[in-house]
């Protein structure tokens, strides 16, 4: 404690006490016991707020008397310290004076450090460089360049690699940042200072590689150095081809070709890690020549043929080796780019196409030991690669991409050869199914991966096989196999095929197999039961187009007979090891509940099972996709079961309420938005008077602190709307209405939440009598008009028009006019002329358009002040706006506008993100149910008014309505057989 007090001074000084404190603290963070570890972490966290903390940690890293494990731990802490505090905008930024000292020390310290510490300091240096380099750190690159030259001359290859790794980290930004003038200036600086040294370094290292051909240890360091040089080359050439490299292209291409064609037996014959080291260098070459082929094809074409031959030769050898993944992928990518270019004729020969399919594609598509290991050990990653398309950098996918690239110009030839290979694979399987099952998997994979997806839909097609025939002969036997755990990769492939070609499989055939797919939910293999769930879920999404509109191919009647066993197997799959939070299973449960006819016999065990899962994930929320599907499944079940069978509500409440209350009590902030939406559903289903346990939640809901996190707001508003609708009489008790209006005022004051504010205000006006609201209206109008004056947004104006329209139809024109004018004399006409009329045409949504049109028409025909001859211009403009609103479709009268981000809320710390539950949404209420046709209502009102004032309005229509709107109004009158006299 004394040591901690010593370092908690205004500035951390470097002295023996600081050294001891930091050493003990970093040692403590390595403790296996949680209490000493947390205490040490807390001490370091507190000390990090002191100036010179980073400098002190860096000096500890440099202290040779301290154990290396402690120094390495300190290096990691130093790197993380810079990540959070180097930027001036950080909460507690590092002072400039300390930054300058760190910059002075870090390069020489990095160069003299051991490899593990050097790696951390190199990353730390890159953190500084991302912000300061080159403009705020002009001395860095000259220092690195001089150190590199010294290290090369001294044959200090460990330092050479450290320096090059640092330069590589600094230059990576040219690959990842958007092209801009400042970035191009930085690139010019780096080229001016490092392009020539990079070239001379590559030449120097090449010479040393030739000299060190027999020394494996030296050769390893040199090969790694050359790999990093080629990555630096990639960064410097990424945005544009620099003039320097264009002028020296021959030299660079010679170097690249050399590393594709020369072997290094001293390393490559020493084992897989040696081959991998050289392959990483060759892969860097392939990425560079691929980049030049894509960006600088004209310059590159003279080197193309020899590079294609070199890569081809390398690839034929590498494809046969299971450990040469990265080289194989980058080499095939290069050939794919060439195959889609104007030089595709390089692949036109029949012999070459045969070699590609037989010697490159098939060996790379066949399953390898590492594929089986991934399948068994990490099913989530396997599915991401195999089903979800994150396998773009795997051998299997990239080999098929090469075929697709060549097929762009030689489709028939490729189709014939691949069809032959598929036939051969199936023949091999037929000879000995147990031993040759991988050949069948290869055939299935080829058909699926080479299928063509139709734009904008789930349907895919293939010319390789007749889908229905292939499905019957190849896939169905796997699906009907009784052993759900036997040959699991083959079963997974069959389920994937069914899923991918689901639209092309006729319904009778698919329905005959759904029961088999449900069986596979009981497989102990994670991928298999995940694919079975995905297959069922995707089948339920299939739609058929009957020429007029699309409808679901599979209905509740189709899944009704299998529903009990389907739900039992789905919940059973969630009890399998490692599938407790299987998002594919939960998504299937959600989809089934959305489609099925849910009886009480299904609803009761389902809500019990879902609640049990919810209670478990509350302890440690990990998988956002699983969690969302879980809450959506609950919302679906509540909506579809309880609305159909209201007697289920008490049982659902007894299951769900304790879980939702636990989320709030345990402060599971990730789930707050979900919990509020589900509570809103339950409140909607309760019958007045609202039970006491809900009223307790109502009062919690009105506490201001709950509304501070922006992610909670839409869900809180949804819940508050339910209370306002279900318990309006409770609003004017215990100060609740004042609290509700306080929340409205907070929300409407910010562009990011203004619409949510109206979602609260509208139901207040709709559900309370004006006698209750009268005393608050002056404050409400003042709040709205102040916001309108200070920060008008199109959305705010639209919301205001809808609110005033709702107010008018609920409480009358005169009440609206008088309440607004009580804020300021004649204010209503100002609001009408400057906001209501100009923005009326921007209203969207059926109910909103209907409400605004009816309210505006009543105002037009029933307002005494507007019928005054002195207000004829307002009257004419208002009618013009009404006709536009009623006669033009939304897309012709409303322009898209960008969303306004909310910068008013504090963004520090964790913010729950609002994710809407589709099935927990509020049902739209129509405040004008009695009016079925707003066009007829408006024209009839106007016609009736004109009959009272014959001859007065036709001249105003001619004067104030556009010609298009005059014609539109005449057409509306004719359609309803009405006239304006």
């Amino acid at each position: 404690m004394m040591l901690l007090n010593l370092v908690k001074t205004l500035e951390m000084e470097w002295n023996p006490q600081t050294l001891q404190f930091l050493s003990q603290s970093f040692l403590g963070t390595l403790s296996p016991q949680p209490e000493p570890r947390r205490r040490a972490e807390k001490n370091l966290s507190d000390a990090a707020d002191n100036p010179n903390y980073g400098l002190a940690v860096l000096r500890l890293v440099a202290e040779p008397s301290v154990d290396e494990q402690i120094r390495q731990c300190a290096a990691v802490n130093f790197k993380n310290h810079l990540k959070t505090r180097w930027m001036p905008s950080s909460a507690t930024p590092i002072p400039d004076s300390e930054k300058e000292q760190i910059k002075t020390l870090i390069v020489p310290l990095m160069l003299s450090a051991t490899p593990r510490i050097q790696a951390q300091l190199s990353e730390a240096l890159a953190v500084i460089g991302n912000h300061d380099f080159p403009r705020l750190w002009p001395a860095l690159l000259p220092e690195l360049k001089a150190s590199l030259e010294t290290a090369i001359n001294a044959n200090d290859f460990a330092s050479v690699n450290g320096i090059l790794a640092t330069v590589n980290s600094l230059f990576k930004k040219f690959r990842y940042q958007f092209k801009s003038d400042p970035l191009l200036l930085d690139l010019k600086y780096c080229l001016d200072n490092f392009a020539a040294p990079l070239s001379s370094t590559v030449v120097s290292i090449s010479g040393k590689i030739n000299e060190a051909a027999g020394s494996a240890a030296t050769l390893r360091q040199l090969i790694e150095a050359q790999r990093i040089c080629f990555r630096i080359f990639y960064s410097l050439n990424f945005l544009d081809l620099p003039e320097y490299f264009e002028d020296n292209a021959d030299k660079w291409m010679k170097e690249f070709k050399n590393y594709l064609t020369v072997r290094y037996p001293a390393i490559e014959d020493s084992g897989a890690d040696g081959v991998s080291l050289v392959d990483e260098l060759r892969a860097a070459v392939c990425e560079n020549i691929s980049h030049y082929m894509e960006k600088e094809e004209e310059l590159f074409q003279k080197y193309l043929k020899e590079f294609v031959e070199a890569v081809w030769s390398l690839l034929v050898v590498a494809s046969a080796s299971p450990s040469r993944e990265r080289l194989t992928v980058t080499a095939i990518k290069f050939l794919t780019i060439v195959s889609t270019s104007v030089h595709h004729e390089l692949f036109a020969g029949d012999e070459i196409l045969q070699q590609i399919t037989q010697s490159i594609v098939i060996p790379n598509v066949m399953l390898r030991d590492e594929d089986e290991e991934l399948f068994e050990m990490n099913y989530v990653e396997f599915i991401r690669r195999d089903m979800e398309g994150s396998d773009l950098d795997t051998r299997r996918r990239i080999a098929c991409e090469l075929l697709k690239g060549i097929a762009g110009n030689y489709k028939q030839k490729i189709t014939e050869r691949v069809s032959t290979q598929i036939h051969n694979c199936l023949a091999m399987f037929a000879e000995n199914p147990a031993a040759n099952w991988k050949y069948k998997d290869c055939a299935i994979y080829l058909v699926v991966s080479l299928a063509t997806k139709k734009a904008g839909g789930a349907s895919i097609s293939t010319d390789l096989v007749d889908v229905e025939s292939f499905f019957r002969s190849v896939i169905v036997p796997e699906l009907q196999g009784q052993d759900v755990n036997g040959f699991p990769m083959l079963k997974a492939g069959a389920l994937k095929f069914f899923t991918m070609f689901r639209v092309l499989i006729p319904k009778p055939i698919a329905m005959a197999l759904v029961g088999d797919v449900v069986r596979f939910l009981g497989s102990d293999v994670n991928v298999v039961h995940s694919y079975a769930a995905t297959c069922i879920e995707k089948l339920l999404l299939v739609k058929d187009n009957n020429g007029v509109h699309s409808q679901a191919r599979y209905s509740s009647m189709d899944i009704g007979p299998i529903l009990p066993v389907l739900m039992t197997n789905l919940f059973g799959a969630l009890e399998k090891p490692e599938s407790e939070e299987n998002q594919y299973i939960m998504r299937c449960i959600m989809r089934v509940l959305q489609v099925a006819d849910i009886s009480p016999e299904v609803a009761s065990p389902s809500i019990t099972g879902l609640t049990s899962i919810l209670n478990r994930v509350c302890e440690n929320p990990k998988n956002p996709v699983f969690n969302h599907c879980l809450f959506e499944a609950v919302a679906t079940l509540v909506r579809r079961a309880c609305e159909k069978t209201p007697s289920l509500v008490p049982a659902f409440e007894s299951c769900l309420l304790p879980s939702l209350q636990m989320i709030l009590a345990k402060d599971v902030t990730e789930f707050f938005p979900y919990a509020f939406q589900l509570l809103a559903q339950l409140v909607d289903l309760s019958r007045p008077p609202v039970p006491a346990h809900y009223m307790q939640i109502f009062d919690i809901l009105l506490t201001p602190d709950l509304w501070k996190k922006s992610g909670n707001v839409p869900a809180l508003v949804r819940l508050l709307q339910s209370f306002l609708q279900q318990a309006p009489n409770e609003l004017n008790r215990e100060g609740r209405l004042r609290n509700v209006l306080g929340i409205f005022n907070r929300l409407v004051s910010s562009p990011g939440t203004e619409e949510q504010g109206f979602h609260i205000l509208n139901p207040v006006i709709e559900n309370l009598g004006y006698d209750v609201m009268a005393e608050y209206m002056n404050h409400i109008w003042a709040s709205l008009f102040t916001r309108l004056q200070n920060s008008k947004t199109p959305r705010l104006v639209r919301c205001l028009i809808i609110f005033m329209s709702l107010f008018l139809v609920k409480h009358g024109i005169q009440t609206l006019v008088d309440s607004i004018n009580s804020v300021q004399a004649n204010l209503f006409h100002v609001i009408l002329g400057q906001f209501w009329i100009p923005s009326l045409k921007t209203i969207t949504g059926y109910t909103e358009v209907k409400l605004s049109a009816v309210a505006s028409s009543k105002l037009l025909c029933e307002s005494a002040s507007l019928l005054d001859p002195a207000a004829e211009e307002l009257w004419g403009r208002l009618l013009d706006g009404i006709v536009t609103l009623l006669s033009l479709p939304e897309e012709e009268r409303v322009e898209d506008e960008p969303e306004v981000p909310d910068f008013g809320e504090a963004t520090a710390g964790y913010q729950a993100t609002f994710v809407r539950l589709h099935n927990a949404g509020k049902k739209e209420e129509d405040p004008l149910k009695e009016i079925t046709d707003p066009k007829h209502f408006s024209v009839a009102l106007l016609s009736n008014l004109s009959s009272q004032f014959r001859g007065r309005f036709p001249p105003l229509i001619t004067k104030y309505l556009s010609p298009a709107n005059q014609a539109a109004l005449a057409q509306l009158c004719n359609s309803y057989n009405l006239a304006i006299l």
Side-chain angles (χ1 to χ4, degrees):
M1 184 59 68
M2 183 184 294
L3 282 174
L4 180 59
N5 290 333
L6 282 171
V7 296
K8 281 187 175 177
T9 58
L10 288 176
E11 186 168 306
M12 184 174 280
E13 296 179 3
W14 183 246
N15 52 41
Q17 290 83 4
T18 302
L19 173 63
Q20 186 181 355
F21 163 74
L22 290 174
S23 299
Q24 288 182 357
S25 297
F26 285 119
L27 184 62
T29 63
L30 301 173
S31 171
Q33 303 300 320
E35 185 51 41
R37 187 171 65 249
R38 279 196 288 265
R39 186 166 59 248
E41 289 168 352
K42 176 71 166 55
N43 288 344
L44 289 169
S45 176
D46 290 344
D49 290 332
N50 293 321
N52 288 338
Y53 170 81
L55 194 58
V57 174
L58 188 61
R59 284 174 168 155
L60 171 67
V61 173
E63 185 57 54
S65 63
V66 176
D67 181 77
E68 182 171 352
Q69 191 177 21
I70 293 174
R71 287 191 288 135
Q72 186 181 345
C73 186
V76 173
N77 178 273
F78 174 73
K79 175 188 69 178
N80 294 332
H81 180 73
L82 298 193
K83 282 182 178 179
T84 57
R85 298 174 189 250
W86 192 270
M87 291 284 287
S89 57
S90 307
T92 50
I94 297 171
D96 289 343
S97 58
E98 184 181 351
K99 284 182 176 181
E100 291 307 315
Q101 291 182 73
I102 288 172
K103 287 178 185 178
T104 302
L105 292 173
I106 191 167
V107 174
L109 178 54
M110 180 196 73
L111 295 178
S112 62
T114 56
R116 288 183 177 179
I117 293 176
Q118 185 180 75
Q120 296 300 327
L121 293 180
S122 178
E123 287 184 40
L125 195 152
V127 171
I128 304 172
N130 284 338
H131 181 260
D132 287 16
F133 177 79
R135 276 159 284 179
L136 299 178
W137 200 358
L140 175 60
L141 198 54
E143 184 178 2
L144 290 172
K145 191 165 60 173
S147 300
L148 178 62
E149 187 176 344
T150 301
I152 289 174
N153 292 335
N155 289 329
D156 181 2
F157 302 124
S159 293
V160 167
N161 286 348
I163 297 163
L164 289 173
T166 301
V167 174
N168 187 38
S169 296
L170 291 170
F171 289 2
K172 275 182 183 177
K173 69 178 182 178
F174 300 123
R175 296 184 229 162
Y176 304 128
Q177 292 184 17
F178 286 112
K179 194 173 182 178
S180 64
D181 289 342
L183 190 66
L184 290 174
L185 281 174
D186 288 354
L187 175 59
K188 184 180 184 306
Y189 171 86
C190 294
L191 287 165
D192 290 346
N193 285 276
F194 206 77
L198 178 65
S199 295
S200 59
T201 299
V202 166
V203 172
S204 176
I205 291 174
S206 283
K208 292 179 185 296
I209 287 174
N210 293 333
E211 294 168 8
S215 172
T218 304
L219 203 51
R220 282 174 178 272
Q221 289 183 315
L222 291 167
I223 291 289
E224 173 63 7
Q226 203 71 304
R227 182 195 71 80
I228 302 172
C229 285
F230 290 169
R231 298 306 291 154
I232 294 171
F233 175 91
Y234 187 76
S235 296
L236 292 176
N237 282 267
F238 189 84
L239 292 171
D240 287 309
L241 174 61
E243 185 179 344
Y244 176 86
F245 290 112
E246 185 175 0
D247 293 342
N248 291 276
D250 286 346
K251 296 176 183 176
W252 279 93
M253 296 306 153
K254 181 183 177 184
E255 291 290 342
F256 289 157
K257 186 187 172 188
N258 176 62
Y259 291 108
L260 293 178
T261 53
V262 175
R263 284 191 81 252
Y264 299 94
I267 302 179
E268 294 185 76
D269 294 346
S270 66
D273 65 324
V275 175
S276 176
L277 184 71
V278 181
D279 277 357
E280 285 292 329
L281 172 60
R282 292 169 178 147
V285 171
C286 288
E287 289 194 329
N288 282 327
I289 61 176
S290 294
H291 182 69
Y292 262 60
M293 183 63 206
E294 283 188 301
K295 295 288 182 73
E296 305 295 340
E297 186 175 334
E298 187 177 342
L299 170 73
F300 190 69
Q301 63 181 348
K302 68 177 180 178
Y303 311 107
L304 180 60
K305 192 172 186 301
E306 60 185 24
F307 272 114
V308 168
E309 291 172 355
V311 170
W312 180 274
S313 301
L314 199 57
L315 189 54
V316 170
V317 177
S319 292
S321 172
S323 63
R324 306 182 75 176
E325 177 105 356
R326 178 153 163 72
L327 173 62
T328 302
V329 168
T330 54
I332 294 177
K333 274 187 178 179
F334 170 69
L335 295 181
T336 303
I337 292 167
V338 177
S339 76
T340 56
S341 73
V342 296
H343 305 286
H344 55 77
E345 70 278 356
L346 290 170
F347 300 97
D350 289 346
E351 187 179 339
I352 291 177
L353 291 175
Q354 184 63 26
Q355 274 190 299
I356 286 173
T357 51
Q358 196 165 334
S359 301
I360 293 178
V361 174
I362 296 301
N364 283 298
V365 170
M366 289 291 287
L367 285 169
R368 289 176 154 75
D369 291 345
E370 53 263 41
D371 297 319
E372 294 185 70
E373 184 179 332
L374 187 68
F375 182 92
E376 294 170 5
M377 305 302 294
N378 189 347
Y379 82 94
V380 174
E381 182 58 28
F382 181 89
I383 293 173
R384 282 183 186 144
R385 292 185 183 186
D386 186 54
M387 183 74 91
E388 297 179 2
S390 71
D391 61 339
L392 286 175
D393 284 336
T394 64
R395 290 176 181 240
R396 298 191 98 189
R397 174 62 66 90
I398 205 68
C400 290
E401 290 301 312
L402 174 59
L403 283 180
K404 287 181 180 179
I406 300 171
N409 294 291
Y410 308 102
K411 184 173 182 179
Q412 186 177 347
K413 289 183 175 182
I414 287 294
T415 301
E416 289 172 359
R417 281 159 180 77
V418 175
S419 295
T420 299
Q421 292 297 333
I422 290 170
H423 177 78
N424 292 343
C425 285
L426 293 175
M428 288 291 293
F429 170 77
E431 287 178 12
N432 188 339
N436 295 341
W437 65 269
K438 288 183 182 180
Y439 285 95
K440 185 172 185 178
D441 175 87
C442 179
I444 295 171
Y445 187 88
L446 283 169
V447 176
V448 170
S449 298
L450 294 173
T452 305
K453 189 169 185 178
K454 293 182 180 177
S459 182
I460 59 176
S461 61
T462 180
D463 296 322
L464 294 173
V465 296
D466 176 78
V467 171
E468 196 172 328
S469 172
F470 189 87
F471 185 73
R472 288 178 187 273
S473 61
V474 178
I475 303 302
V476 170
E478 295 302 328
L479 297 178
Q480 292 179 336
Q482 294 305 299
D483 183 1
V484 295
N485 296 315
F487 297 100
M489 295 192 83
L490 206 47
K491 298 292 189 293
L495 288 164
K496 179 184 176 184
F497 185 96
F498 192 1
T499 305
M500 297 292 284
F501 288 97
R502 61 192 178 277
V503 176
L504 300 181
I505 308 298
K507 182 175 178 179
I509 297 175
M511 283 305 304
L513 292 163
V514 166
D516 291 304
V517 178
V518 171
R519 274 192 309 110
F520 281 106
L521 291 169
S523 171
D524 294 328
V525 182
N526 299 93
V527 175
V528 173
H529 59 240
S530 299
Y531 276 17
T534 299
C535 184
I536 294 165
E537 192 247 335
K538 298 299 184 188
L539 279 173
L540 295 180
L541 290 172
V542 174
K543 294 186 181 296
D544 289 322
N545 195 327
N546 61 11
V548 181
H549 60 273
S550 60
Q551 63 180 35
R553 182 181 295 180
Y554 302 95
S555 66
S556 58
M557 292 180 64
D558 294 317
I559 61 173
I562 60 167
L563 186 58
V565 67
L566 171 57
M567 296 305 293
T568 299
N569 285 12
L570 282 167
F571 278 106
L574 289 173
E575 295 175 6
K576 304 280 186 185
E578 296 185 38
S579 272
E580 296 88 350
E581 294 185 32
N582 186 316
Q583 66 195 53
Y584 310 100
I585 303 291
M586 187 52 71
R587 186 183 280 117
C588 185
I589 291 174
M590 174 191 77
R591 193 74 63 207
V592 170
L593 291 174
Q594 288 172 353
V595 174
D597 186 11
I598 304 172
S599 64
E601 291 74 24
V602 171
S604 294
S606 295
I607 193 63
T608 302
L610 290 172
T611 307
S612 172
I613 296 165
L614 176 57
N615 292 339
R616 176 169 49 76
V617 298
C618 279
E619 297 298 323
N620 183 21
K622 289 181 293 188
N623 185 336
V625 177
F626 176 86
N627 295 336
H628 177 74
C629 292
L630 168 62
F631 280 101
E632 192 70 78
V634 173
T636 304
L637 192 56
V638 171
R639 180 176 68 85
R640 302 194 71 240
C642 293
E643 288 181 8
K644 178 185 175 185
T645 314
S647 59
L648 286 172
V649 172
F652 270 53
E653 285 184 331
S654 64
C655 265
L656 270 177
L657 274 177
S659 301
L660 300 179
Q661 289 166 339
M662 177 181 71
I663 289 171
L664 301 180
K666 290 192 173 182
D667 203 31
V668 187
T669 50
E670 299 97 316
F671 290 170
F672 274 16
Y674 292 127
F676 297 138
Q677 290 175 85
L678 292 180
L679 283 168
Q681 275 190 292
L682 295 176
V683 173
D684 286 344
L685 290 165
S686 66
R687 295 179 179 177
V690 174
H693 53 266
Y694 285 129
M695 292 311 299
Q696 291 174 354
I697 295 171
F698 190 9
D699 290 331
I700 294 171
L701 180 63
L702 299 180
T703 55
D705 284 351
L706 203 56
W707 295 79
K708 288 181 179 177
K709 289 183 177 175
S710 57
N712 289 341
V713 168
L716 288 168
V717 168
R718 167 73 181 92
L719 178 54
L720 187 49
Q721 285 177 314
S722 297
F723 279 115
L724 295 175
Q725 187 168 327
Q726 295 294 92
N729 296 331
E730 301 292 335
L731 256 185
N732 208 25
R733 299 175 187 168
E734 302 176 26
R736 291 191 183 108
L737 181 55
R738 190 176 296 279
N739 290 335
V740 168
L741 293 176
I743 292 167
F744 148 75
N745 195 47
R746 172 192 173 91
L747 296 180
V748 86
S749 65
S750 167
T753 54
E754 61 195 8
E755 191 170 22
Q756 300 294 333
F758 283 98
H759 289 337
I760 291 174
L761 188 59
N762 290 346
V764 169
I765 288 295
E766 194 169 357
N767 292 297
L768 290 183
Y770 189 70
D771 55 329
V772 176
M773 289 298 303
E775 64 175 293
Y776 301 104
M777 284 313 304
N778 198 283
H779 167 75
I780 291 171
W781 291 126
S783 184
L784 288 172
F785 298 148
T786 300
R787 169 66 212 287
L788 200 60
Q789 187 175 20
N790 294 337
S791 178
K792 183 184 77 169
T793 66
R795 182 168 54 190
L796 176 70
V797 176
R798 285 199 302 273
C799 290
L800 180 60
I801 293 170
I802 294 165
F803 169 66
M804 291 190 293
S805 299
L806 181 64
F807 190 108
L808 185 150
V809 301
K810 286 294 178 183
H811 303 303
I813 295 172
Q814 202 55 47
T815 307
L816 173 68
V817 174
D818 290 346
S819 67
I820 291 178
N821 286 341
S822 68
V823 178
Q824 182 181 314
N826 298 317
L827 182 57
F828 178 75
H829 275 199
V830 175
I831 297 296
L832 182 65
Q834 292 186 13
F835 300 104
W836 189 320
I837 293 172
S839 299
L840 186 59
K841 67 178 181 180
T842 67
I843 303 300
T844 58
Y846 173 79
T847 303
E848 290 81 0
V849 168
K850 176 181 175 181
L851 177 62
S852 303
V854 168
S856 298
S857 299
K858 288 172 75 69
L859 194 59
L860 186 79
C861 301
E862 298 175 6
S863 169
S865 62
L866 271 185
L867 292 173
D868 188 310
E872 71 165 37
E873 183 184 349
L874 271 181
W875 190 94
R877 288 174 56 213
L878 179 57
L879 177 58
D880 190 56
I882 294 169
V883 174
T884 300
L885 184 66
L886 293 174
S887 63
L888 286 182
E890 284 184 11
E891 60 269 18
E892 292 183 31
R893 56 183 172 81
V894 181
E895 294 180 7
D896 289 335
E897 63 190 69
E899 281 294 312
V900 180
D902 181 16
F903 297 109
E905 296 289 338
T907 55
Y910 171 79
Q911 292 283 310
T913 303
F914 174 72
V915 182
R916 187 173 73 91
L917 292 174
H918 175 75
N919 285 281
K922 187 179 186 298
K923 288 186 177 178
E924 190 174 86
E925 297 290 333
D926 186 350
L928 296 169
K929 295 185 182 73
E930 69 281 5
I931 298 174
T932 55
D933 185 350
K935 293 181 181 179
H936 182 231
F937 176 88
S938 300
V939 175
L941 211 58
L942 183 60
S943 175
N944 183 54
L945 176 69
S946 74
S947 67
Q948 300 173 41
F949 298 90
R950 284 175 177 267
R952 176 177 171 186
F953 297 112
L956 298 184
I957 291 171
T958 303
K959 183 176 181 181
Y960 292 108
L961 268 66
S962 68
N965 277 352
Q966 291 179 44
L969 180 59
Q971 188 176 351
L972 284 170
C973 288
N974 289 335
S975 63
Y976 295 112
N977 199 24
L978 295 166
I980 300 173
L981 305 171

